[in-house]
Amino acid sequence: MRDFPDWIRFPVADRVDHAMRWVLNNLGWFFDWVGDVGLGILISVERALLFVPWWVAVIGVGVLAWRVMGSKRSGIAMAVLLFMVGAFGYWTHAMNTLSVVIVAVAFSITLGIPLGILMAWNNTVRNLLTPILDAMQTMPSFVYLIPALMLFGLGRVPATFATVIYAIPPVIRLTNVGIREVPSAVIEASTAFGAGRWNLLFDVQLPLARPSIMVGVNQTTMMALAMVVIGSMIGNRGLGMEVLLAINRVNIGQGFEAGISIVFLAIIIDRVTTAFAKAKKVEASTGEDTETEEIEEEAEEEGSPKASA
Amino acid sequence: MSNQSESIGGAQAAPPSAADSGIAVRAHGIWKVFGRNPERVLEPKYRDLPKKELQRRTGCVVALRDVNLEVKAGELFVLMGLSGSGKSTMIRTLLRLVEPTSGTLHVDGKDVGAMSHKELLEFRRNLVSMVFQSYGLLPHYTVLENAAYGLRLRGDEKGEREARAIEALKMVGLAGWESYYPTSLSGGMQQRVGLARALAKNPDILLMDEPFSGLDPLIRRQMQDELVDIQEDIGKTIIFVTHDLPEALKLGDRIAIMRDGQVIQVAEPEEILSNPFDEYVRAFTRDASPARVFTASTVMEEPEMLLYRWQGPLTARTEMEHNKREWSFVVDRKRVYLGVATRDVIERLAKEKRTTVEKDDLQYLEPVKPDVIIEDLFGLVSSGSYPLPVTDDQGRLLGVVRPRAILNALSTEEDDA
Ligand SMILES: Nc1ncnc2c1ncn2[C@@H]1O[C@H](COP(=O)(O)OP(=O)(O)OP(=O)(O)O)[C@@H](O)[C@H]1O
Ligand SMILES: [Mg+2]
């Protein structure tokens, strides 16, 4: 009596399978085409990354980190981390992983920011997307591997596809939040001066939402990196594959090296993009002015009675 | 604006003809109801109910109730009323930032309600400017870019719009601040950027929604004077919202008093004072003899000299000698008022080789708050040998009231009346 009765069953699994099969039969050509184009892009990006001599990359990352983070020490630290990845012997694998991350993030941003804008403009779109985004973020990440596998087979294209799905929610969400949090006083004033919807978007909403959007891009990037490792399960090479191989062979040392390389990449990307977001934030902040200073400032600026007395 | 309900809203008078010369703004039978299905509030069974009753029965808030206004070209027209009386809603409907539920609006002879989206944008870009209480500046634009924003939307060339914006900034006393960001400016200066942004367009009509109410009293008065100057120079039509009677009396050519969404009296300042329409207006103006209207904040001035607590007695003595003064108010770093230091006290402290001036050394003259009416200041001012310090709620010194300033305020007002 305590067990759930056998005769109550809704076989959803069958329907999902069925729908999937229908998609494959009818739209297979489309996914083949997308797969080819995607593979082309991924390979070009990887070639480009590998074309750069390693020492140029190490110094380049160091200088970039130094400029964005504003301290020489952080610059050197980031360069050393990247150097270590090479020293472990994973340079090529790291570039492969990075190419997938770059393509997935670029795709997430081009798709995610417009979606976030739509969500901010329209409450119906928001109410529709919010539960979907919630579901996407609570779903165990490797679930995305299954449709990716079915649509694109094995390799880095399905891995990129799964990565985009897994990593896109933050950039959508934070674009929406950033735009909605623009003070209504600024919107109203701009409207009063004759700003239309696009003026508002490009002159006011996007610039003021930029700090928030940058945080979203940072989160998306970190999630993409995490997912790329899982993507190795469906045949993406790169660092994740090395970790998987090490696990299979119970080779603790190798697993450690590959794992730590991923961590180093993650640290570099996170620090640099966070610093970048922060740098923009300071510029666009709407901080309140300190009232205490007001009278003095006014007095100085006007050369008012105090000065003449 | 829906035309079918217009017949209800404007039942008692014929709709005005579109273009009267000399009339800048004409509002006719304007209703604004917030809430679900706002139109039903205009039905006979609801429309005469009081605001509270209506809200209880329908859940709708009536912000404007059959408002009829005519503002003449070149006039400075003040909308006054208590909080919630519908002033902001009224001024916003003129640009259709708020869509009226019913009624007709003509601005510069154009029927605002009948405009298409595109015409509306053109109208906002060219004819009317608005200044907001909360400034509404773009924080990522410089002062210059902010002042030029209206011109950019209008499509002016970069060179021309910058020239005009610089001109407007000069007019409001902000020359030299072009490349700063608004956040590095004080509230008063930010509001002037808002004013410059509005003036740069050289609009026919200027709408101002409590533009000065966020400002310190001294700066506020200064801005009022500047507005009067600007108005005299360029002769704009200005609609100015305030809930401050002295401000209304000082600025307004005519004043409209609003209550619960209705305009209950429109008149020149003197008439409002001498002939209040009903108890509500009387309550506003009851104490309107200048001695009761003007407050410490209206008559206060900058202190001639200030000492800071951390300055030692020797510095203080030098400064007093330099300024040829026998005493000074003393404040701390936050400009919190501490008391009065006389020359004798400073000399004594100097002899004792003390390094700072402490509160106990000072004579404490009781400060007054900025909203004390000047009638109550008479006794205080005349009894002492020092001017009265005026402090805000945090105890910061805002200014001082001298007997002469009180006398001036009273005499000029009486000359006018
Ligand atoms: N967006 C809105 N939604 C619902 N009710 C509103 C809205 N805007 C204004 N109201 C209501 O309309 C009435 C008039 O408001 P309005 O802001 O015009 O008053 P006001 O005279 O400008 O007051 P204040 O001096 O406080 O600015 C108020 O009862 C207010 O609650
Ligand atoms: Mg208001």
Side-chain angles (χ1 to χ4, degrees), chain B residues 1 18 64 69 100-101 110 121 132 139 148 151 203 211 242 245 264 266 270 290 325 338 358 386 393 405:
Chain B
M1 236 181 307
L64 296 176
L69 282 179
T101 311
K110 296 178 187 59
L121 287 187
F132 296 84
L151 303 173
T242 180
L245 182 63
I264 55 174
V266 183
E270 275 98 278
R325 302 191 60 83
L338 298 175
E358 294 303 330
Y386 306 115
D393 289 341

Side-chain angles (χ1 to χ4, degrees), chain B residues 33-52:
Chain B
V33 181
F34 289 105
R36 278 166 184 263
N37 303 328
E39 286 83 13
R40 79 199 139 117
V41 170
L42 301 179
E43 289 163 14
K45 100 177 135 153
Y46 291 125
R47 57 182 286 143
D48 293 325
L49 293 178
K51 181 172 172 171
K52 285 230 176 66

Side-chain angles (χ1 to χ4, degrees), chain A residues 88-94 96-97 228-229 232-233 236-262:
Chain A
F88 288 141
Y90 286 127
W91 187 267
T92 322
H93 294 291
N96 175 289
T97 298
V228 162
V229 176
S232 321
M233 288 181 175
N236 185 32
R237 294 181 295 118
L239 292 170
M241 182 69 96
E242 296 305 303
V243 175
L244 277 186
L245 288 177
I247 292 173
N248 285 344
R249 296 182 199 140
V250 203
N251 187 339
I252 298 175
Q254 191 197 353
F256 180 79
E257 278 183 354
I260 209 91
S261 296
I262 293 173

Side-chain angles (χ1 to χ4, degrees), chain B residues 87-88 92 133 209-210 241:
Chain B
K87 309 178 296 291
S88 297
R92 278 172 169 79
Q133 177 179 357
D209 190 358
E210 303 201 31
V241 169

